[in-house]
Amino acid sequence: MAAALLAGSVASAQSTEQLPGFDLERLETNVGRGTLLVGNGELLVPGGLSVSLLGHYQRLPLVLSDGAQDLRVVQDRATGLLAASYGVFPWLELSAQVPFVLWQQGDDPSQVGLAPLAAQGLGTPMLQARLGLLSRRHQQPVDLSADLGVGLPVGTGLALAGDAGPRFHARMVVGTTLGWLQPSLEAGVLFRPSVALASTEQAARQGATSEIRLGAALATTGKGLRGELGLRTTLAPQVSMELLGGVRFPLLVGLDAFVLGGPGVGGALGTPLFRVLAGVAFRSEPPPRISFIDPNADRDFQLTLAKPQPPPEDNPVRPAGTHELYVTRGDSQDTSADGTPREPPRPYQPGPQERLVLRGEVHFTQGNAELSGVVPLLDQAVLRLLEQTRGTTIVIEGHADTEGTDTSNMIMSLRRAQAVRRYLLDQGVPATRVRIRGFGSSWPVSAQPATEQERQLNRRAEVLVLTEEPKAPVTQAPAP
């Protein structure tokens, strides 16, 4: 390409031919879960939405040389990108990206017979479908997905932002979690229209062409400041590589900001000397649906089938256990082994060393244990948990109405408590900080509901955020 553009005669330098149009941009960001450069194989849950807006600066993404002189066709380039992704099914996620060239400038190309580039323009819009093949949500060892995408040929060729025809990509992405680290790998191929350039000997030379792309990423987990490190490599007629590292930190619930930067090496078109990115990303996901309860298949929903013991007389309110299902086999649930009436377990009451910082209810429709969209109460519970400096626990107590049997009501109440628990865990709350209980229809708000509104009050999950009271300092009198 350098020989084709720079080894021209003086007569050809007096003409002004436009540089053949192609998409110079080499960076393809990840939309949805994972790092900015590489996904982690995990899909958004159905109804989940991820939106990001970023801008980045590139230094020297296109320099042509004939061995004697360099022509900085694009010396500085600033680009913006708007991207969104939506979870359609548990196995399907759809996304779209729209890039823009905000500003670019370089050397005057008229000395080699080229017309100046356009300073702004529309990039190549991308549409992508992500198919889930394996998922750790279903107790599989890794997350594995296949991405299929198409780039629309509507970019501005005069700004080196669009190909002459559509482009297609296919890649496989795999990721997992190892403690507080999340590694991921990807491999794929990009098919794009080739750009043939003629040299002074009229021999065709390849410019932009199809290529193989590899990527790797490593990210830290948590809800506070998180680190990201990504590597993207291109294997084509010319090899290039970009290494970007940076941080991501929360601004509000669901809203993160990120800053990344790093160098690029290689001779492939569009590889900058270095690149800097900054932007914001918003993600909102409902908790995954619970379609069945199987204590042998669903390891995240461990239910202990045991007989409840009556609380001791000196402590009528016992602490909330974790994942308790009060179902007996062969005995009546209303009487104990000696035939005396059994007192149903009581809702949790804070102890003398605990302080209640938040209490509220999440209501459900009849026969339903699903949460739809964002629940402000639960977002407040997450914020209260982050605000507390001492040990904080969230207790979730599920309840049902009296429409079903005792067993079905108990299971429904536990499903509602588990739906709230999964919502909190998806917001980054550690599983060890959340405890759930199911009470069935034993503790209704309205004992004799006459309207649908009163019955809905009984179909609820109560949420309690408890923190430890600081212990009073112990003073010791001096010895006489």
Side-chain angles (χ1 to χ4, degrees):
M1 186 172 186
L5 298 179
L6 297 180
S9 63
V10 176
S12 64
Q14 294 176 354
S15 64
T16 55
E17 295 183 359
Q18 184 64 47
L19 189 70
F22 61 93
D23 193 346
L24 181 66
E25 182 56 62
R26 185 157 296 279
L27 177 70
E28 273 189 30
T29 61
N30 170 59
V31 186
R33 292 183 172 271
T35 65
L36 186 64
L37 263 66
V38 180
N40 59 6
E42 188 177 4
L43 275 63
L44 295 173
V45 301
L49 176 66
S50 176
V51 181
S52 62
L53 176 64
L54 66 89
H56 67 274
Y57 165 78
Q58 305 173 61
R59 177 67 176 176
L60 298 176
L62 182 56
V63 179
L64 303 179
S65 175
D66 62 353
Q69 61 176 333
D70 293 339
L71 177 64
R72 300 179 176 183
V73 180
V74 181
Q75 178 172 300
D76 302 284
R77 195 183 214 204
T79 307
L81 178 66
L82 177 63
S85 184
Y86 182 77
V88 181
F89 303 109
W91 52 269
L92 177 62
E93 176 185 325
L94 300 179
S95 62
Q97 301 186 37
V98 182
F100 300 91
V101 177
L102 304 177
W103 167 79
Q104 63 181 350
Q105 61 90 26
D107 294 339
D108 183 10
S110 60
Q111 56 182 322
V112 293
L114 293 178
L117 298 177
Q120 295 89 23
L122 173 67
T124 300
M126 297 293 299
L127 303 177
Q128 177 180 282
R130 177 166 292 173
L131 307 176
L133 304 179
L134 297 176
S135 176
R136 289 183 295 117
R137 295 173 184 166
H138 300 129
Q139 285 73 52
Q140 292 166 336
V142 296
D143 292 305
L144 179 65
S145 66
D147 297 350
L148 303 174
V150 57
L152 306 180
V154 298
T156 306
L158 297 178
L160 295 182
D163 292 323
R167 58 164 56 190
F168 304 92
H169 74 255
R171 58 174 170 255
M172 300 292 292
V173 185
V174 61
T176 187
T177 299
L178 302 175
W180 53 276
L181 294 177
Q182 286 186 331
S184 56
L185 298 171
E186 75 170 32
V189 60
L190 171 67
F191 301 97
R192 62 186 299 185
S194 299
V195 177
L197 302 174
S199 67
T200 54
E201 294 82 10
Q202 301 300 318
R205 294 175 177 267
Q206 288 291 338
T209 185
S210 300
E211 56 196 34
I212 298 175
R213 294 185 170 184
L214 306 176
L218 186 65
T220 61
T221 61
K223 291 298 292 181
L225 185 67
R226 307 183 299 279
E228 291 186 8
L229 183 64
L231 176 67
R232 296 293 294 268
T233 302
T234 299
L235 304 179
Q238 293 176 314
V239 180
S240 68
M241 182 182 302
E242 285 192 63
L243 179 65
L244 297 180
V247 296
R248 185 183 294 259
F249 51 91
L251 298 177
L252 299 171
V253 176
L255 182 65
D256 289 346
F258 53 84
V259 179
L260 293 93
V265 294
L269 298 178
T271 304
L273 182 64
F274 67 86
R275 188 193 304 266
V276 178
L277 302 95
V280 293
F282 172 78
R283 190 176 72 196
S284 174
E285 293 183 86
R289 295 183 177 182
I290 305 174
S291 58
F292 61 88
I293 295 181
D294 187 345
N296 297 320
D298 190 354
R299 299 178 184 176
D300 291 336
F301 196 56
Q302 299 292 337
L303 301 178
T304 302
L305 303 178
K307 296 181 181 179
Q309 299 296 328
E313 296 181 358
D314 56 346
N315 185 18
V317 180
R318 65 183 185 87
T322 303
H323 301 177
E324 293 177 327
L325 178 61
Y326 297 105
V327 179
T328 60
R329 296 178 178 177
D331 296 334
S332 172
Q333 297 185 28
D334 298 328
T335 59
S336 59
D338 56 1
T340 59
R342 175 185 294 130
E343 181 182 2
R346 294 175 175 269
Y348 188 85
Q349 295 295 332
Q353 299 298 326
E354 293 178 318
R355 179 168 59 92
L356 182 65
V357 297
L358 178 68
R359 183 168 192 166
E361 297 179 355
V362 180
H363 294 96
F364 299 83
T365 58
Q366 183 177 2
N368 181 36
E370 301 174 4
L371 297 175
S372 58
V374 177
V375 183
L377 170 66
L378 302 184
D379 292 339
Q380 286 292 325
V382 175
L383 291 176
R384 294 296 179 89
L385 184 72
L386 297 177
E387 292 172 356
Q388 303 301 320
T389 58
R390 298 183 61 84
T392 306
T393 302
I394 300 180
V395 177
I396 307 168
E397 299 179 334
H399 299 267
D401 55 23
T402 58
E403 296 297 324
T405 64
D406 292 342
T407 301
S408 64
N409 290 337
M410 179 62 69
I411 294 177
M412 179 60 67
S413 65
L414 278 165
R415 291 181 61 192
R416 289 166 177 164
Q418 179 68 358
V420 175
R421 175 181 178 269
R422 291 196 176 186
Y423 184 101
L424 296 175
L425 265 57
D426 191 64
Q427 297 295 326
V429 176
T432 56
R433 308 286 287 276
V434 183
R435 296 187 291 173
I436 70 170
R437 302 179 77 192
F439 290 95
S441 58
S442 299
W443 297 93
V445 173
S446 177
Q448 296 180 345
T451 63
E452 174 60 25
Q453 184 177 5
E454 292 179 349
R455 284 188 289 270
Q456 188 174 10
L457 294 177
N458 296 335
R459 301 189 290 262
R460 70 194 189 280
E462 297 188 4
V463 180
L464 296 83
V465 181
L466 305 165
T467 185
E468 297 179 0
E469 286 283 6
K471 296 182 180 180
V474 178
T475 59
Q476 184 175 1

